[in-house]
Amino acid sequence: MTQYVYRFGGGVAEGSAEDKNLLGGKGANLAEMAAIGLPVPPGFTISTEMCTRYYDEGERFPESLIEEVKAGVAHIETVTGKQFGSAADPLLVSVRSGARVSMPGMMDTVLNLGLNDETVRGLAEISGDERFAWDSYRRFVQMYSDVVLGLDHDAFEDALEIMKEDNGFFLDTDMEASHWQALVAEYKTIVEAQWGKPFPQDVNDQLWGAVSAVFGSWQADRAKVYRKLNDIPGNWGTAVNVQAMVFGNMGDTSATGVAFTRNPSTGEHAYYGEWLINAQGEDVVAGIRTPQYLTKSAREQAGAKPLSMEEAMPETFAELARVFDLLEAHYRDMQDIEFTVERGQLWMLQTRSGKRTAKAALKIAVDMVAEKLISEQEAILRVDPMALDQLLHPTLDPDAKRDVLTTGLPASPGAASGKIVFDADSAERHNEMGEDVILVRVETSPEDIHGMHAARGILTARGGMTSHAAVVARGMGRPCVSGAGSLSIDNNAGTLTIGSRVMKAGDVLTIDGSTGEVMLGEVPTLQPELVGDFGTLMVWADGVRRLRVRTNAETPNDCAVAREFGAEGIGLCRTEHMFFDASRITAVRQMILAESEEGRREALAKLLPEQRSDFAEIFRVMAGLPVTIRLLDPPLHEFLPHSESEFADVAEAAGIGIEVLKRRSAELHEFNPMLGHRGCRLGVTYPEIYEVQARAIFEAACDVAEESGAAPIPEVMIPLVATRKELTLMKAVVDDVAAQVFAEKGRVLEYLVGTMIELPRAALMADNIAHDAEFFSFGTNDLTQTTLGVSRDDAARFLGQYVDKGIYPRDPFVSLDIEGVGQLIEIAVEKGRKTRSDIKLGICGEHGGDPASIAFCEAAGLDYVSASPYRVPIARLAAAQAALKS
Ligand code: ADP
Ligand code: MG
Ligand code: MG
């Protein structure tokens, strides 16, 4: 027969920390603490398997459970020497829920169960403290009524308030035994009025009521919502813990508290916590009384008066400190602990790995290696790569005041303050004048790139987490709040309205791209550091990872940031970003609108020196590291002029009439630009564009090799290839230019020509394409769009619901769709290697910075991942973890 009840305490431990699935986190750790000899009040855990069976069998308990629970209660009685329901020396218990992972939304704990009109007198007698007994009883009636019976708790609060008022008391501690006794009578009347039955006096009815309520709470709406949000399966179930009460409310030698073995916000190796004298557990968190500091130094630092536990109960504190150290040594991790002191005797009620900030996680991991508690490899696995994001961007000073106007989506992390500007050109102008600006737009488009770059942060009224603004901002490392729906922008009036507040250009805003908050005025920020513990952990991570980590960057500044963060090359340099520059856009437009090759070549001649100097800058910063440069990719219409003055500029530069230009511009309209005249299709139709870009690349590479001696390694990437023939044609263009330039410069450099794999056909034909491609870079943004048939720019309207409904487990533009897109990558890897065994393989989509996708890349055997500069450290750590886990 299946065992459903597992006992602990009094020298018994039928479970251990390994049994979290069966006993829940709380139950498993109570058993573990009992097993290592710590003072744990005896009790038993009803397993999660029982919960599952309870629901399978129509919410009924099997006969066998009733017997097992009886035996469990008998175990507690034996260890404590008390009797459940006895009027002479009553045993009281707590009933606590406990799933595998801590789960808000589950039933709250019921304390002091086992009290009734008889046992309360026994408790008073045996404790010699009538006030304590009646205080415990009123707590129990209130909690049970609230948590188990589901009665309206306001009535109970009101009764307590009235009782205090009638007696002229302010604090609960002013109440005496007779007051609590009178309150219990009031409470029982309320229960009978609301519930229609008297408060249960049979202690076994009380116990089964509470056990049923815990199991019942597993299917409560709030628990279901929490499970959905956190991917917790509904069939896990919860355990129930029944445990002998220990009393922190038995006078001034009793207390209760919560503690961390190290500081959870800084990681400092110092005990950290709060406690209350003469109180029960829930009082500390409930905020009825202000808790006191645990240690003397913490109390002094805060300038607080009420004594710390270290000072008020030095012996018990020393005992507690010993337990902290023992628990840390045992679990080899920082612990979050609940304890109670009953008349000087310490009892442990809970332990678990403590939640911590990224900063604390790093410090604790590195310190624990120094303390020889864990290995370097364990330290690497202890830190959540995504949590590092908190440390890689300027963050708002947590102590600063904020006037929050509204909250949008946390689209790109980091905080920024600046003056409001409503268009990209103003952003650039103000930036040149040395002013910090926040670019505020309804939404952004590729023409805003220069303004986004010039701005400290970006705020949009529309667009989701994968909107243009969000994606570009993350790539640039600019904080961004997108989709702040309550924002209304009036471009004519030059105003921004949020609720009743109206702001105009030049007013200062602060945005927090990590929380989505939009604040009025400047809120001070703290700068990121990649030193100290962070640096140490990164060195360890680099020691174990196999995947190389590159960056997606196109400005010398972004390249420099990425190198600071440890990038080992560039995986994607998008040349078009350089085209939007104010000094070039007219020449770019002239090229696009030209009607002949000759016209295009004339414009390209103006762009050549500009591109050459851009590439030279990048090669210098990357000093001999590989640099993958993608030739022109986006549909040409993205560059087209809009305003009359823009057309006039192009007309003048090209010596063509405005009307002709406008006609040409209209001809370039596409119905579906994402699938239109873009990528290598531009190179196939206008080879001179790729020819000039290749020339700029090789001339720059030769120049930098000449001046520095560190020969750059250009990797020329042809985008949007579907067939081998496209690549064959484009590779010939590139190779011809390379040969010419090398002849002109009298120097031969190593270089590669390869392709992006971003169309399903290319993945399927990879063996064929690999005859010409020396590398594949998986462009998973477009590969996701083209495989799923979903336009990233339009996905915001429905993708959220797709994720809610479990159609995709996560946003496939954020975390790779491993089943589908991943399969295409695997096919391409296998086929590519079959043709060319040493083909270089990398990923350059947004996924290159996502830990789950990086784990996939490790398994798929890619050579490198490429992430935006601010994600490089995340990718380094994720790559190390992936290597350790594989
Ligand atoms: P949560 O998961 O919400 O923290 P717990 O079951 O840990 O719920 O209990 C809530 C409070 O009651 C905690 O402060 C805990 O220490 C206290 N508590 C639980 N069981 C007992 C007990 N047997 N004796 C004394 N206090 C207890
Ligand atoms: Mg707890
Ligand atoms: Mg692409």
Side-chain angles (χ1 to χ4, degrees), residues 630 633 678 756 758 782:
R630 179 178 69 185
D633 178 59
R678 55 167 292 217
M756 242 164 142
E758 49 189 339
D782 271 340

Side-chain angles (χ1 to χ4, degrees), residues 519-591:
M519 291 144 282
L520 189 66
E522 181 172 345
V523 180
T525 54
L526 307 172
Q527 282 305 309
E529 302 170 83
L530 213 160
V531 291
D533 301 319
F534 200 163
T536 306
L537 194 84
M538 282 295 132
V539 171
W540 295 343
D542 289 348
V544 302
R545 71 183 155 90
R546 183 192 62 79
L547 281 169
R548 304 280 93 199
V549 175
R550 297 193 188 184
T551 191
N552 299 349
E554 39 268 329
T555 67
N557 186 37
D558 284 351
C559 295
V561 169
R563 284 213 61 189
E564 287 273 308
F565 285 156
E568 297 162 296
I570 291 182
L572 178 62
C573 171
R574 306 172 181 90
T575 45
E576 60 271 15
H577 281 196
M578 304 166 170
F579 281 19
F580 284 106
D581 200 285
S583 65
R584 305 169 190 176
I585 187 72
T586 302
V588 173
R589 287 173 175 155
Q590 183 188 345
M591 169 190 86

Side-chain angles (χ1 to χ4, degrees), residues 473-527:
R474 281 199 293 274
M476 287 179 178
R478 292 288 178 285
C480 174
V481 173
S482 69
S486 64
L487 225 85
S488 131
I489 298 169
D490 184 336
N491 276 319
N492 290 329
T495 56
L496 164 66
T497 309
I498 302 175
S500 59
R501 319 274 286 263
V502 182
M503 283 137 287
K504 47 188 196 321
D507 288 350
V508 174
L509 278 189
T510 297
I511 60 167
D512 186 342
S514 313
T515 62
E517 282 177 336
V518 180
M519 291 144 282
L520 189 66
E522 181 172 345
V523 180
T525 54
L526 307 172
Q527 282 305 309

